[in-house]
């Protein structure tokens, strides 16, 4: 079945438009027959240039701040944080739209037989309709190899196509200049960083086939063409000394190719990525869970049925693949990382600045990168982490007197590392870079790329180095972060006083434990930095352990405080369950039970009310091996936190929920964060039959598996490198045909661990022993 989103009417608002992108350029297609709007973004068009916002008074007040926290003088600590530890000024830069392409079509008759489609298998957004008895079509794609957005207009009407095209930026209020270049090209250009003229350019070229084109004012006017191709490019001085030359050069190069050649180059680049993974849930992709056909229902109608309580397994599989599509469209090598809105933002002052929030949101964007076989799409995040190092060293030294590099809970285009906002539950948190550095280790675990690890180790180690200096001994003897917060929650003291600032919250300790262990393991693999390894081993033993509170929950703070908002969207103290690996039902059953209590308490108080929070909850339940609960929350994110175009709804739109839920589907089917690969670890009864191909596992493996009536039928494992592979499953496994040994041993939980050795490039096929017996 073709993977597509389709609709019977145009988008009435931005939240209904369909996204395309090539990592750097993004567009939202409204699909309006006569007054089309295509909203455009370029990933480096932000408002304002780089600044040094480090608060020079932080270092002198660090000792005082710690004394206040250790002595429980919260009010004074909060006042000092606002003045001495906030950024100066307190806000980073924000992301801006590039503009809009507006098309006014000269079409006779009312549009009929309308359809608006986004083909995920081809990354093409198409609008088609009939008017006056003739067919009209617009097809748009964002080409990564050619660096342009391509819009193709066709008709079979004998009079051809006549239309006016222009570029606009919020009614002209934010475009410094509009210029024409010859008879077929117009451009918006001006300042965005406030440093010099022409810092950005958004350009369009119209290539008619037949008829004629001319520029008048800020319009390109086409008359009597049988077809037309529109090319859109954008550039800024973030990447090029001359944005104007760069944008026009991209148009020149693309215009030198036919539309068919541009399309084939686009497909040759995109399709190998999207086709790496396939997922079928249920026996027939054209029916819902009850067996009823959904072929006549558009995507919005199917989503409404889910909201009404109907199950639609094919829509869940489509939603998974849409998440992979969004990552390809918003994060490619050479682009910036996907931000809070991916790359799709229509606002000059967007929610949360459409920045990089790094106390979970940016990290969640990349949860599916490795497991869902899009490792290349992880690269923009790695590049941004490298950009964080230099400003992060300045922040570490100027604000805290520490070595290494640090980042707080936000960053921006310029890799700003100073604290963001004056928001007590989030601003004064120093673990942003530490968490991001774990993505480098994650990439190594999936790829086993030693050359990458050798480069990444320096960054991981420098992130850890900050905490060699920053950690301080608290009154009980542990090494703790101070000051800190537990993002983004608030506690209440027995006296009734509420607070956010603290020392040594559970999330900090869990992140540092994972980071220190990753650095230790990497140094051993690389046979380097023995002294640093010994230092981290000593510090690791002095971190506070994850503990269980009086209500049977994972304790969020070093003291067992009462939560002011029990249903808070952040569940930071379960980092060790996911994306960390320190809590697991098999190895730490008491902590796993306490994690479940934590989730129960959060949900009972209204937790999971935002899209990304619900996505995290699906991952939590998958790690707890509870497929039914994970499925319930996957259903809930579709029913309560998904827009008609399948964008995640915080609200407002925020893309992290899409990526988090996509990763969660993979976690339900395959887990590899412990010392084995667990197949079908959290399979819900609703997914009794299915098949998935192309998921990745740590250790350098690619897997395909099918199941029926809730039981594994066949498993294929392809190894990138030679080594021993351990697979956990409900039944013992044996090799299906090829020679070799596969030994299965029952574990304490009644499951089986099968061990086999694989050569580099070898694919092994395994089946449950019960399946062999019936052959």
């Amino acid at each position: 079945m073709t993977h597509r989103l389709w609709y019977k009417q145009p988008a009435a608002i931005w939240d209904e438009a369909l996204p395309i992108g090539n990592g750097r350029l993004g567009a939202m297609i409204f699909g309006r027959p006569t007054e089309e709007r295509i909203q455009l973004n370029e990933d480096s068009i932000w408002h304002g240039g780089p600044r040094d916002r480090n608060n020079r008074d932080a270092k002198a007040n660090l000792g005082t701040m710690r004394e206040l926290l250790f002595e429980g003088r919260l009010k004074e600590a909060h006042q000092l944080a606002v003045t001495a530890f906030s950024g100066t000024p307190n806000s980073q830069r924000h992301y801006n739209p590039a503009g809009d392409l507006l098309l006014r079509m000269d079409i006779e008759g009312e549009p009929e037989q309308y359809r608006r489609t986004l083909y995920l298998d081809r990354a093409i957004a198409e609008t088609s309709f009939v008017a006056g008895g003739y067919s009209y079509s617009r097809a748009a794609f964002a080409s990564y190899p050619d660096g342009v957005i391509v819009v193709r207009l066709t008709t079979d009407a004998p009079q051809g196509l006549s239309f006016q095209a222009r570029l606009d930026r919020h009614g002209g209020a934010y475009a410094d200049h509009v210029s024409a270049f010859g008879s077929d090209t117009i451009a918006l250009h001006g300042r965005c960083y406030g440093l010099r003229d022409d810092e950005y350019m958004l350009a369009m070229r119209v290539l008619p086939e037949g008829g004629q084109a001319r520029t008048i004012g800020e319009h390109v006017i086409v008359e009597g063409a049988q077809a037309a191709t529109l090319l859109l490019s954008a550039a800024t001085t973030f990447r090029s000394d001359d944005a104007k030359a760069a944008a026009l050069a991209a148009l020149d190069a693309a215009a030198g190719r036919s539309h068919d050649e541009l399309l084939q180059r686009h497909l040759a680049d995109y399709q190998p990525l999207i086709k790496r993974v396939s997922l079928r849930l249920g026996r027939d992709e054209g029916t819902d869970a009850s067996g009823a056909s959904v072929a006549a229902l558009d995507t919005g109608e199917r989503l409404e049925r889910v909201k009404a309580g109907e199950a639609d397994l094919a829509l869940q599989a489509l939603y998974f693949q849409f998440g992979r599509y969004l990552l390809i469209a918003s994060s490619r090598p050479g682009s910036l990382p996907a931000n809070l809105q991916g790359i799709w933002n229509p606002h000059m002052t967007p929610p949360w600045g459409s920045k990089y929030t790094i106390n979970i949101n940016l990290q969640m964007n990349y949860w599916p990168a490795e497991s869902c076989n899009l490792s290349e799409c992880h690269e923009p995040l790695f590049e941004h982490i490298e950009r964080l190092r230099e400003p992060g060293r300045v922040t570490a030294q100027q604000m805290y007197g520490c070595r290494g590099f640090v980042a707080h809970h936000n960053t921006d285009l310029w890799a700003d590392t100073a604290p963001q906002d004056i928001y007590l539950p989030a601003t004064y948190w120093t673990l942003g870079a530490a968490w991001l550095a774990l993505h480098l280790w994650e990439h190594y675990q999936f790829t086993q790329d030693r050359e990458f690890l050798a480069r990444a180790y320096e960054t991981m180690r420098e992130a850890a180095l900050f905490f060699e200096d920053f950690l301080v001994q608290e009154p009980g003897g542990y090494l703790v972060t101070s000051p800190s917060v537990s993002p983004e929650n608030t506690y209440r003291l027995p006296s009734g006083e509420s607070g956010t600032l603290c020392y040594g919250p559970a999330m900090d300790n869990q992140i540092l434990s994972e980071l220190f262990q990753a650095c230790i393991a990497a140094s051993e693999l690389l046979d380097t930095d023995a002294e640093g390894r010994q230092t981290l081993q000593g510090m690791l033993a002095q971190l506070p352990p994850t503990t269980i509170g009086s209500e049977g929950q994972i304790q969020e703070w070093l003291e067992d405080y009462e939560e002011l908002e029990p249903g808070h969207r952040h569940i930071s103290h379960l980092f060790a369950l996911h994306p960390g690996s320190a809590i697991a039902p098999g190895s730490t059953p008491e902590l796993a039970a306490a994690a479940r209590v934590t989730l129960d308490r959060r949900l009972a108080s209204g937790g999971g009310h935002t899209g990304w929070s619900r996505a995290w909850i699906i991952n939590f339940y998958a790690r707890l091996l509870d497929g039914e609960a994970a499925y319930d929350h996957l259903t809930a994110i579709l029913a309560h936190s998904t827009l008609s175009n399948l964008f995640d709804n915080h609200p407002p739109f925020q893309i992290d929920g899409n990526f988090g839920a996509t990763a969660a589907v993979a976690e339900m089917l395959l887990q590899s964060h412990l010392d084995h690969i667990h197949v079908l670890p959290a399979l819900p009864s609703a997914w009794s039959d299915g098949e998935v191909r192309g998921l990745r596992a740590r250790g350098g493996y690619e897997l395909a598996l099918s199941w029926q009536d809730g039981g594994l039928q066949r498993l294929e494992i392809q190894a990138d490198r030679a080594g021993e592979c351990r697979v956990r499953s409900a039944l013992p496994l044996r090799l299906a045909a090829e020679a070799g040994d596969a030994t299965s041993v029952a574990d304490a939980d009644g499951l089986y661990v099968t061990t086999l050795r694989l050569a580099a490039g070898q694919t092994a096929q395994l089946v449950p022993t019960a399946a062999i017996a019936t052959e």
Side-chain angles (χ1 to χ4, degrees), residues 343-359:
I343 49 171
W344 300 280
N345 162 48
H347 304 293
M348 297 305 295
T349 54
W352 300 284
S354 194
K355 299 191 297 295
Y356 305 111
T357 302
I358 56 176
N359 64 6

Side-chain angles (χ1 to χ4, degrees), residues 88-108:
T88 53
N90 66 65
S91 186
Q92 296 170 351
R93 300 308 194 181
H94 58 269
Y95 184 48
N96 278 171
D100 291 337
L101 166 61
L102 302 175
L103 296 175
R104 177 173 292 178
M105 308 296 299
D106 183 9
I107 294 174
E108 297 180 0

Side-chain angles (χ1 to χ4, degrees), residues 640-697:
H640 304 300
S641 299
T642 301
L643 298 166
S644 65
N645 65 357
L646 298 191
F647 267 172
D648 174 70
N649 195 19
H650 181 283
F653 160 58
Q654 200 167 290
I655 204 167
D656 41 19
N658 287 105
F659 294 137
T662 296
V665 170
E667 285 286 323
M668 294 167 71
L669 299 174
L670 181 71
Q671 295 178 18
S672 61
H673 58 289
L674 302 176
D675 62 351
H676 56 263
I677 299 170
H678 193 170
V679 294
L680 303 181
L683 187 71
S685 58
W687 294 355
S688 58
D689 300 276
E691 180 180 13
V692 66
R693 303 188 67 86
L695 293 182
R696 297 282 299 178

Side-chain angles (χ1 to χ4, degrees), residues 537-559:
Q537 287 169 334
M539 294 176 65
L540 183 62
Q542 298 179 71
L543 294 176
T546 299
T547 57
I548 300 173
S550 59
E551 301 294 329
Q553 87 288 5
I554 297 293
Q555 197 167 291
E556 186 161 1
W557 295 275
L558 203 56
E559 301 293 333

